Amino acid sequence: MSSTKTRISWAFALIVVIAGAYPLGRGVSNPLSRLRSQSTSTDSTAAVAALHSRCGKLSGGAKSNCYESGLDSMASRGEVRLAMRTLANLAKVDPDVVRDGHVFAHGIGMAAGKGGGDIAKIFAQCDESNQSGCYHGVLQSYLIAAKHVGPAEVNAACEPFRGPNADRWLLFQCVHGTGHGLTMYYDHDVPRALADCDYLSGGWDKQSCWAGVFMENIVNVEMPKNMHHSHEGMAGMSGMSASKWKPLDRNDLLYPCSAMEPKYLTACYEMQTAAILYQNGGNIAAAAKTCDTAPNLMRYVCYQSLGRDISAFALQNHAKATEMCEMGTPKYRPWCYFGLVKSFVNMDARASDGLSYCRELTGVPDKLKCYEAVGEQIGTLRNTSAERSSLCQPSEPTYLNACLYGARVVMAEPPDLARLNGQPSRDEKSN
């Protein structure tokens, strides 16, 4: 794999590592299966054959641009389901599409949303494949095209996904995508985008939005042309001066987190290893050592970020991913598995993908954090306690309660997990 392709993989390992920070409530019973059935309803065989014939023999940026052009053209015509299904089937015949799938999905969403329209209706044509990039792209287009952005606009975008019967997974994709879109709206001025995320009501919405801002910051450094197209015609940026925000600092691998207000630190460190790996040439062991220099309470979060990036770096290979997590300091290693398994679940929104990995681990602390992480993702995937409990049931019996606790089916933290998570030491509290 070329270094460029490797960097792209790091950037697009989805940043869904928010520990237990999802809203509780009731909702639809199986929203994702409904979306899957819609997204596969159109036969894409001819489109796959035509695109692969035209683009498959190209390389590098030329190949990416060729595929992107064809997929975006379908989405621009309103054929979002066809574009997403074509992307899924292209991945079966071209490994480069697997690596860049989230990029292409973002582009499909952006193309679909360029003409405006009802966000919820466009979302209904996207699906959760390729780390839900289609949803994020829709919000990017929505905000880029806005003539004014304030509290009303920021909150209105995701209103269809709020309420007791709303789809929690789609709400996350919406508010996370809002963070991407605000960052683009302000020409990648991170502090301005974070300030607009603060307009959102509710801590979970804000945290998810902040995560999108920090992800967009590093993505724009790595691939400003491939991902974001031209800035031409972006109404929101009309008359704005170019951002003077410095996205990365080679002399401070913990930047921009080292420059953030305390309330933004968790969201920032959840993405920080993508910046570290981009600048250190993909050295996992060195990235772990850099995490070891973070403020004490943020080291755990930094290792979660590392686990997420390892998932992409290992191309979802379980054995390779485990070997990479073991390069870090043993004290923080369970949190590496925590971020890693969340990424496994998020790839296609399947809890079973995470549970199968947890069974492969051997250490008790590693398993506890692994099952807790899968539970947290189940809590985002499903609204009702019964559904969450059902998805946790295939857990190993010893660790079932860790999954149920992560999913907030049970509120009492299992004693072994409580001892592992613990309370910050006096030294940690002072940092």
Side-chain angles (χ1 to χ4, degrees):
M1 184 191 306
S2 71
S3 60
T4 299
K5 291 295 183 187
T6 302
R7 291 196 204 101
I8 290 171
S9 295
W10 300 333
F12 291 105
L14 183 64
I15 182 175
V16 186
V17 287
I18 302 173
Y22 46 78
L24 301 178
R26 297 170 298 164
V28 295
S29 60
N30 200 348
L32 294 177
S33 64
R34 167 173 48 78
L35 289 176
R36 283 194 196 98
S37 66
Q38 289 179 339
S39 69
T40 58
S41 61
T42 304
D43 183 4
S44 64
T45 302
V48 170
L51 271 179
H52 189 243
S53 175
R54 184 194 316 162
C55 310
K57 294 181 181 179
L58 301 176
S59 61
K63 176 189 278 192
S64 295
N65 291 338
C66 182
Y67 279 137
E68 180 181 61
S69 176
L71 294 167
D72 290 1
S73 179
M74 295 178 204
S76 296
R77 296 194 302 266
E79 297 176 324
V80 179
R81 290 177 193 152
L82 174 61
M84 291 301 294
R85 187 58 182 165
T86 299
L87 173 59
N89 286 328
L90 276 171
K92 298 175 182 178
V93 297
D94 190 335
D96 288 338
V97 175
V98 177
R99 288 191 290 265
D100 293 353
H102 190 71
V103 183
F104 294 132
H106 260 266
I108 289 169
M110 291 183 71
K114 276 185 179 178
D118 188 315
I119 291 176
K121 289 183 178 179
I122 300 174
F123 262 38
Q125 299 179 68
C126 292
D127 63 54
E128 71 277 8
S129 64
N130 292 291
Q131 298 143 320
S132 300
C134 181
Y135 302 118
H136 307 160
V138 174
L139 267 297
Q140 286 174 287
S141 278
Y142 168 82
L143 289 163
I144 288 168
K147 295 181 180 179
H148 171 75
V149 170
E153 290 78 11
V154 171
N155 281 284
C158 301
E159 191 59 33
F161 310 108
R162 295 189 175 94
N165 295 314
D167 187 326
R168 181 173 293 105
W169 179 261
L170 292 185
L171 175 60
F172 172 80
Q173 306 309 334
C174 188
V175 288
H176 178 85
T178 296
H180 279 276
L182 287 170
T183 311
M184 292 179 70
Y185 179 89
Y186 288 119
D187 196 16
H188 294 87
D189 186 325
V190 166
R192 293 189 70 180
L194 290 171
D196 275 18
C197 284
D198 290 342
Y199 290 142
L200 288 165
S201 57
W204 182 83
D205 285 22
K206 290 177 184 178
Q207 184 82 8
S208 303
C209 185
W210 298 338
V213 171
F214 290 115
M215 183 176 182
E216 180 63 30
N217 180 60
I218 178 60
V219 166
N220 184 60
V221 171
E222 296 189 2
M223 44 192 309
K225 289 184 67 177
N226 292 59
M227 177 75 180
H228 303 95
H229 311 280
S230 169
H231 282 180
E232 182 180 355
M234 290 186 180
M237 294 167 57
S238 176
M240 288 188 180
S241 58
S243 170
K244 296 181 181 178
W245 169 258
K246 179 175 66 174
L248 299 180
D249 186 345
R250 289 192 176 277
N251 296 316
D252 179 4
L253 293 182
L254 296 179
Y255 177 91
C257 301
S258 58
M260 287 292 114
E261 295 179 41
K263 67 179 178 180
Y264 300 131
L265 286 180
T266 296
C268 186
Y269 274 101
E270 284 173 345
M271 192 64 207
Q272 191 58 25
T273 54
I276 296 169
L277 288 164
Y278 176 76
Q279 296 180 98
N280 77 4
N283 189 323
I284 297 292
K289 290 184 182 298
T290 301
C291 284
D292 291 341
T293 69
N296 283 329
L297 291 179
M298 290 298 109
R299 291 175 192 171
Y300 303 93
V301 184
C302 194
Y303 268 81
Q304 290 175 30
S305 175
L306 184 62
R308 181 207 62 246
D309 287 326
I310 283 173
S311 169
F313 194 87
L315 293 178
Q316 312 302 308
N317 181 287
H318 287 192
K320 289 182 180 178
T322 299
E323 182 181 345
M324 291 176 184
C325 269
E326 289 176 353
M327 294 178 181
T329 299
K331 177 180 179 180
Y332 306 113
R333 189 166 58 208
W335 281 264
C336 184
Y337 294 127
F338 187 93
L340 175 65
V341 76
K342 284 198 168 194
S343 184
F344 285 162
V345 174
N346 288 324
M347 183 60 62
D348 289 301
R350 290 194 299 253
S352 58
D353 292 345
L355 295 175
S356 67
Y357 177 71
C358 293
R359 294 186 200 102
E360 297 176 14
L361 297 176
T362 55
V364 171
D366 301 335
K367 281 182 172 288
L368 283 168
K369 290 302 292 183
C370 187
Y371 280 106
E372 181 191 19
V374 175
E376 289 192 2
Q377 295 312 92
I378 288 171
T380 305
L381 288 169
R382 295 291 184 267
N383 291 10
T384 71
S385 292
E387 291 173 312
R388 295 173 186 175
S389 179
S390 177
L391 287 178
C392 279
Q393 290 308 311
S395 302
E396 295 171 89
T398 303
Y399 302 99
L400 174 60
N401 279 342
C403 182
L404 294 174
Y405 173 75
R408 295 305 186 261
V409 174
V410 299
M411 298 302 164
E413 189 174 17
D416 287 348
L417 185 60
R419 283 190 289 272
L420 177 62
N421 288 334
Q423 294 297 320
S425 68
R426 184 175 302 171
D427 179 61
E428 287 177 324
K429 287 179 179 179
S430 67
N431 281 271

